[in-house]
Amino acid sequence: MRIVGRETECARLAVLLDEARAGHGRSVVVRGEPGIGKTALLDHLAENADGCTVVRATGVEFESELALASLSELVGPLFEVLRELPARYADVLTALVPQKADDSAEPPVAAGGRHAIYAATLALLTAAAARRPLLCLIDDAHWIDDVSAAALLFTARRLLADPALIVFATRDVPEFNAPGIETLRLEGLDEQASLQLLARDTNVPALVGARLAALTMGNPLALIELPRALSLESAAGLSELVEPLPTTKLLQRAFAASLVSMPARQRQALLVCAAAGSAELEVVARALGALGIHLAALDEGTVSGLVQITGRTVTFRHPLIRSAVYSQAGPGERWQAHAALANACTSPKDADRRAWHLACASVGPDEQVAAALVATADRARRHGGIVAQAAALERAAELTGEPVLRATRICAAATIWSAAGALDHSEALLDQAEVLAGDNVTARIEVLGDRAYHAVLRGRTGDVFDALVAEAAEAGPEDRLAAGRVLSLAMNAPLARWDVAATLEVCTKVMTLTAPDGRPNPSFSKGAVRLALAQVLAGEPAGAELARACVAVCERHVPNGACAELAEVLMYVEDYVLARRMIDHDVAAARAVGDIALLGYGLRRRAQLEIRMGRPLTAYSDALECAGLADAMAQPTTIAASRATLAMVTAVLGRADDCSAHAEEAMRLCPDDLETEARVRYAVGLVALAGGRIDDAVVELRRAETVLRAVVEPAVIPVAADLAEALVRAGRPDEARRVLDRLDSAVAATGRRGRRAAALRCRALLARGGGAGPLFTAALEAHRDIDEPLERARTLLCQGQWLRRSRRRQDAYQPLASALEVFESAEAKLWAEQARHELTVLRLRTVPSAGRPDLGVLTPQEWRIAWAAAQGRTSREIAAEVLLSVRTVDYHLGNVYRKLGVSSRRALIRQLGGSAELPA
């Protein structure tokens, strides 16, 4: 059937489909109010998708809590394609499609978390598209479950060189947010198109039609349905409609009117279908049978077009009909329908449907139903469906009679809601849990722990500090471990303001509660890790010893971030090899299970470590991935931390504008967090120092140093030597000496070799006459003991500058040339420019640039792919790492080659200084 009044929209979709057929992946979101014609547009596109594989899924309002329901609908028709996927992806998706008709068999569980499901969805759809151009249609996208929506949006944003088009149709509601994807917005039909539609489907007089078009604001469904429900042979039929009404109300009135004259048993049969969602026809038939209703009761509904039976499913002509049927029924009728459906869901694969139907049929506490919902929540967790998990836990809590258990389940739901970004709702649940906890210490501690987690996410760690400390102090012996876990979160409050004494006090209390023997507790190794951090910050030698004692315990534990936390402490004490081992442990584990929170946490710390070890290009790759994950989690503190890390990386790379932008974003998100401020001030000051903007460097580095004044450990944020150098170059030697005196005291207390070398370099800059020579020699000797090539190169640069100014031109050449080689290899542009300038001034030899293009011309995605290729990874390996299709990786590589002026991977490896061996 020809679609009316949508010529522009049809033309745009046809163009997108043609582009997809030509190998240019596309995606679009069609938005509009109910009845505006979204489904008709999708049907039209499907009818004209010659030569394409067409797969569809439709969201159902009553099934939005069923994790992966919509993705399962898409996977079914593409099941044969699963055989072409790598096993790790095939296993994830095979679990969504039961292969046996045996209802007694327990359905498999998706083998992976949210991250794995994203990757597997991308792999499936791009593999299907490689066989034949793919058209994927998602109707009522605002009702599909959260993990299916996230996986499909994730895939849609990564279609560049794959012959696929994904179209989402959704109501114009904030629940379905799709940034970065083209939007096609449907408005009401104009009067001419409205009359044309009425003339095609009804015999309404022209005058009445014009009035109806105005009242419905051109909504196609309303134009079709209202004449069926109202007497419109004349304008008198519109007497009740004196002004335009919201379309939903008009349509619900029309659909409800069609139900009034229907016999009670037929209405009840429709109600069962409405409550059943997308359940199979066998389930509906069993439920109807339990109510003494034959399937034939649906005949009138099918004749009138309200429902249709296709294959093994019952579907409503429009979601609003389903809503009207359900809302017109009384509470008792709805409970009865859900109870019948619960009893009809006998297959293990329908366990989640059964649990939710039982919940809808319950009018008071019921522990059996609550336990079934907890099991549903656990299955959703394994699938990565955090909204489905949270909703199931919250409903389970509502059906729990015992107050403390109810409080525990509310806390569990609140934690998951917060992970989903619903912090306000989560905090409202915690208010309920706190009342239910009463005087139960364990329950109160659990509530406070969740409040502390919220405070961290919101960047307001001081909000619950006093309450946490007081509650932990009152905990009895049986609650010591729980109290210690919660109290450990309180360290975030003083740490955020660099209050080392308070941090140490809290962490000491935590260790007393969780590990009174002083050895790391395997049940809570983070307690010891955090005490080690506090001790290191305070300059206590015991911190390094405790950190190393934590290594074996953390490595044996289920990955939970303890290794990454420990790596940060080990980095501060300059045990870089062990720190790398700890971080790689958590990063690898996070990738294996698809834990994006742990992955981002580990990547951020690995980027910081790579900077210390003089590998800013590697750090940049990790920092970009970390930033992408932080954006996906949408938590302000996580995003701010990722931006602060990017600010530091781009500072070392000499990209002043990028550094400034990342720093501003971090401060905007967490304006009161002094930890974030110290890191971004240091980054902005460092890039100013490298670029010769000395006054700016002094201002920013001074602010960072002031914020860190209470921190004894000089390697946490190594600002002191850079501030001293900036002050020397600004002609303020006395201030520089005072800074260096503090640094020397910190080095004497901690024995940090890298900071000792940097302090000697700055003392050399302050020295007069020949006194600088021995100090530079001592600094370079100190650098031999620590793997920090960029720091050593900076000392060589300063030594070469001093030698040139001392007219020792021949002696100056070698340290300057060595420094330049390191800076260029690391792509530290501003330091390299300084070294090149000094060599040019010597006039001993022309010193051209290394001839490498500005890597800033690459987009972040192109950079990650280029860097991975430079390490020798194949396109397939890169695709698995960055979660793109192989075609899209090759597409990006083509852009990289063009922008960098290279024509092969061999040349790219040379250009980026990659670690891969060049091919023979």
Side-chain angles (χ1 to χ4, degrees):
M1 183 180 294
R2 189 175 67 86
I3 193 166
V4 175
R6 298 297 184 197
E7 291 77 12
T8 301
E9 293 85 353
C10 288
R12 178 57 187 155
L13 290 175
V15 167
L16 291 174
L17 185 58
D18 286 343
E19 291 175 349
R21 286 191 182 105
H24 306 292
R26 295 292 184 261
S27 58
V28 64
V29 177
V30 180
R31 290 188 179 274
E33 65 175 5
I36 203 67
K38 302 182 293 295
T39 300
L41 207 57
L42 265 57
D43 291 342
H44 176 80
L45 186 62
E47 290 171 4
N48 291 276
D50 299 334
C52 296
T53 298
V54 181
V55 292
R56 299 186 73 149
T58 301
V60 178
E61 183 177 9
F62 306 113
E63 295 182 348
S64 58
E65 292 90 3
L66 296 179
L68 294 171
S70 296
L71 192 57
S72 299
E73 195 175 348
L74 289 177
V75 172
L78 300 176
F79 190 75
E80 289 300 314
V81 183
L82 293 179
R83 299 176 183 177
E84 301 174 13
L85 303 185
R88 63 184 182 280
Y89 298 151
D91 290 345
V92 169
L93 297 176
T94 300
L96 304 183
V97 185
Q99 300 176 64
K100 298 179 181 179
D102 182 7
D103 280 353
S104 65
E106 186 71 25
V109 175
R114 179 173 285 246
H115 202 254
I117 290 169
Y118 293 177
T121 302
L122 174 67
L124 174 69
L125 296 187
T126 54
R131 283 184 164 194
R132 195 169 183 236
L134 178 70
L135 174 60
C136 184
L137 304 174
I138 316 297
D139 205 357
D140 289 323
H142 51 285
W143 282 330
I144 65 176
D145 60 279
D146 71 303
V147 67
S148 293
L152 291 167
L153 288 169
F154 179 91
T155 298
R157 294 189 184 99
R158 283 160 175 77
L159 296 176
L160 286 178
D162 303 282
L165 170 62
I166 300 181
V167 184
F168 301 91
T170 176
R171 294 183 185 176
D172 202 2
V173 292
E175 286 78 10
F176 188 79
N177 188 24
I181 297 180
E182 178 184 345
T183 294
L184 190 62
R185 196 172 302 278
L186 297 188
E187 305 292 349
L189 301 177
D190 60 27
E191 182 176 323
Q192 181 179 356
S194 297
L195 292 173
Q196 186 179 354
L197 180 61
L198 284 168
R200 190 188 71 181
D201 290 340
T202 69
N203 295 317
V204 174
L207 183 61
V208 176
R211 178 64 177 151
L212 185 61
L215 288 169
T216 61
M217 292 174 280
N219 183 283
L221 186 63
L223 290 168
I224 293 171
E225 296 293 341
L226 288 178
R228 297 180 181 179
L230 303 174
S231 177
L232 297 182
E233 288 79 10
S234 68
L238 295 172
S239 59
E240 295 182 9
L241 307 179
V242 296
E243 62 181 17
L245 293 174
T247 306
T248 301
K249 289 185 177 180
L250 280 172
L251 290 170
Q252 284 180 335
R253 181 186 301 184
F255 293 139
S258 66
L259 299 172
V260 171
S261 60
M262 192 174 289
R265 297 185 73 75
Q266 292 178 343
R267 285 203 310 272
Q268 194 173 18
L270 288 177
L271 174 60
V272 170
C273 293
S278 62
E280 293 181 351
L281 185 60
E282 292 90 332
V283 172
V284 173
R286 283 199 294 268
L288 290 174
L291 295 172
I293 302 173
H294 193 273
L295 197 59
L298 291 175
D299 287 351
E300 184 170 334
T302 57
V303 170
S304 63
L306 293 177
V307 295
Q308 62 184 69
I309 298 176
T310 307
R312 300 174 65 186
T313 62
V314 181
T315 57
F316 284 82
R317 188 170 77 248
H318 192 274
L320 286 178
I321 300 176
R322 183 193 300 272
S323 298
V325 169
Y326 195 81
S327 61
Q328 286 293 302
E333 292 177 305
R334 291 199 292 266
W335 295 332
Q336 191 178 41
H338 283 294
L341 285 164
N343 291 329
C345 291
T346 56
S347 168
K349 67 184 175 63
D350 285 331
D352 293 341
R353 291 181 187 276
R354 174 179 169 79
W356 275 109
H357 284 308
L358 286 171
C360 291
S362 300
V363 294
D366 188 321
E367 182 54 31
Q368 284 189 328
V369 178
L373 284 170
V374 170
T376 288
D378 187 59
R379 283 188 289 272
R381 176 189 59 79
R382 286 179 280 172
H383 292 151
I386 57 175
V387 170
Q389 181 187 2
L393 286 171
E394 183 175 348
R395 182 61 176 140
E398 292 172 357
L399 295 174
T400 302
E402 200 281 312
V404 173
L405 179 57
R406 185 175 184 181
T408 297
R409 285 172 174 167
I410 288 176
C411 284
T415 298
I416 308 305
W417 277 123
S418 65
L423 291 181
D424 291 340
H425 180 61
S426 180
E427 288 177 356
L429 289 177
L430 291 178
D431 290 341
Q432 298 177 30
E434 188 169 2
V435 173
L436 290 164
D439 296 329
N440 186 290
V441 175
T442 301
R444 289 185 61 79
I445 286 174
E446 187 173 10
V447 174
L448 276 173
D450 287 331
R451 289 203 186 280
Y453 179 59
H454 281 79
V456 171
L457 293 180
R458 290 192 184 275
R460 300 199 305 260
T461 51
D463 288 0
V464 295
F465 177 76
D466 293 338
L468 280 172
V469 174
E471 198 72 50
E474 295 179 7
E478 71 279 6
D479 300 308
R480 293 177 69 89
L481 183 59
R485 287 177 182 273
V486 172
L487 185 58
S488 70
L489 292 171
M491 71 168 285
N492 289 291
L495 185 61
R497 57 180 185 269
W498 294 109
D499 185 342
V500 175
T503 303
L504 184 58
E505 180 183 0
V506 172
C507 291
T508 301
K509 289 179 180 178
V510 170
M511 195 67 173
T512 301
L513 288 167
T514 62
D517 61 358
R519 292 180 293 183
N521 184 341
S523 297
F524 186 57
S525 57
K526 286 186 177 182
V529 172
R530 288 165 183 171
L531 177 59
L533 171 62
Q535 290 173 331
V536 167
L537 294 177
E540 296 184 3
E545 297 175 14
L546 180 57
R548 293 187 178 95
C550 291
V551 169
V553 177
C554 291
E555 282 186 316
R556 288 197 303 268
H557 204 280
V558 175
N560 62 354
C563 285
E565 268 191 67
L566 179 59
E568 191 168 36
V569 184
L570 293 168
M571 180 178 69
Y572 295 155
V573 300
E574 297 179 340
D575 197 336
Y576 295 156
V577 174
L578 195 52
R580 181 59 186 261
R581 190 175 101 195
M582 292 293 99
I583 293 180
D584 285 349
H585 175 276
D586 270 5
V587 168
R591 290 197 192 281
V593 301
D595 187 336
I596 63 174
L598 177 58
L599 181 58
Y601 190 77
L603 288 171
R604 175 157 52 90
R605 280 155 178 77
R606 193 165 73 181
Q608 294 167 356
L609 178 61
E610 295 288 7
I611 293 170
R612 295 290 176 94
M613 299 180 74
R615 296 194 285 261
L617 294 176
T618 306
Y620 187 47
S621 180
D622 280 345
L624 285 174
E625 184 176 3
C626 172
L629 294 171
D631 291 342
M633 290 186 285
Q635 295 167 349
T637 52
T638 305
I639 297 173
S642 73
R643 296 304 187 272
T645 303
L646 272 173
M648 189 64 231
V649 176
T650 49
V652 175
L653 292 172
R655 300 183 191 175
D657 291 343
D658 290 342
C659 175
S660 178
H662 294 313
E664 287 176 6
E665 177 68 0
M667 289 303 299
R668 183 187 68 79
L669 290 167
C670 291
D672 300 322
D673 189 327
L674 294 182
E675 181 183 8
T676 298
E677 180 177 359
R679 294 187 186 281
V680 299
R681 296 287 185 198
Y682 175 54
V684 173
L686 184 65
V687 78
L689 178 62
R693 295 181 288 110
I694 303 304
D695 290 341
D696 292 341
V698 169
V699 170
E700 298 294 340
L701 295 172
R702 173 70 80 188
R703 289 176 178 173
E705 198 250 1
T706 300
V707 169
L708 292 165
R709 194 63 62 86
V711 179
V712 177
E713 173 55 63
V716 174
I717 300 177
V719 66
D722 295 312
L723 174 58
E725 180 178 340
L727 288 168
V728 171
R729 298 189 185 281
R732 298 155 66 175
D734 292 340
E735 294 178 58
R737 289 188 183 91
R738 287 194 290 272
V739 172
L740 286 175
D741 287 344
R742 291 194 292 271
L743 176 57
D744 287 342
S745 296
V747 169
T750 63
R752 299 296 169 252
R753 297 160 294 171
R755 295 304 88 211
R756 178 174 179 271
L760 286 168
R761 176 176 74 222
C762 294
R763 291 291 183 188
L765 292 175
L766 278 168
R768 296 179 180 276
L775 289 169
F776 277 124
T777 300
L780 290 169
E781 185 64 29
H783 280 304
R784 294 179 186 273
D785 298 330
I786 185 75
D787 184 16
E788 295 179 350
L790 281 178
E791 282 294 305
R792 183 175 185 277
R794 287 183 60 188
T795 298
L796 288 170
L797 172 61
C798 291
Q799 183 189 42
Q801 290 171 329
W802 170 73
L803 289 169
R804 179 186 64 77
R805 290 165 189 161
S806 300
R807 301 183 185 280
R808 296 168 59 181
R809 299 164 63 84
Q810 294 289 343
D811 293 336
Y813 175 77
Q814 189 55 54
L816 290 172
S818 297
L820 177 61
E821 182 180 0
V822 173
F823 292 142
E824 288 192 329
S825 176
E827 198 67 25
K829 295 194 309 180
L830 295 180
W831 296 117
E833 287 175 10
Q834 283 196 34
R836 191 177 300 108
H837 170 74
E838 292 293 333
L839 286 166
T840 302
V841 171
L842 286 178
R843 296 180 182 173
L844 294 175
R845 174 178 170 184
T846 302
V847 185
S849 169
R852 302 166 89 179
D854 181 4
L855 298 180
V857 300
L858 302 181
T859 67
Q861 189 73 281
E862 289 168 350
W863 164 256
R864 288 189 62 203
I865 291 170
W867 183 249
Q871 310 314 304
R873 297 186 183 94
T874 65
S875 291
R876 187 167 296 280
E877 290 169 336
I878 297 170
E881 180 177 318
V882 301
L883 299 182
L884 293 173
S885 69
V886 175
R887 286 172 178 257
T888 300
V889 166
D890 289 336
Y891 171 85
H892 280 304
L893 275 175
N895 286 338
V896 168
Y897 291 167
R898 177 177 54 79
K899 290 180 178 181
L900 299 187
V902 299
S903 58
S904 67
R905 292 201 181 202
R906 178 188 180 93
L908 182 65
I909 291 169
R910 284 203 183 104
Q911 195 73 271
L912 298 187
S915 61
E917 293 184 7
L918 292 174

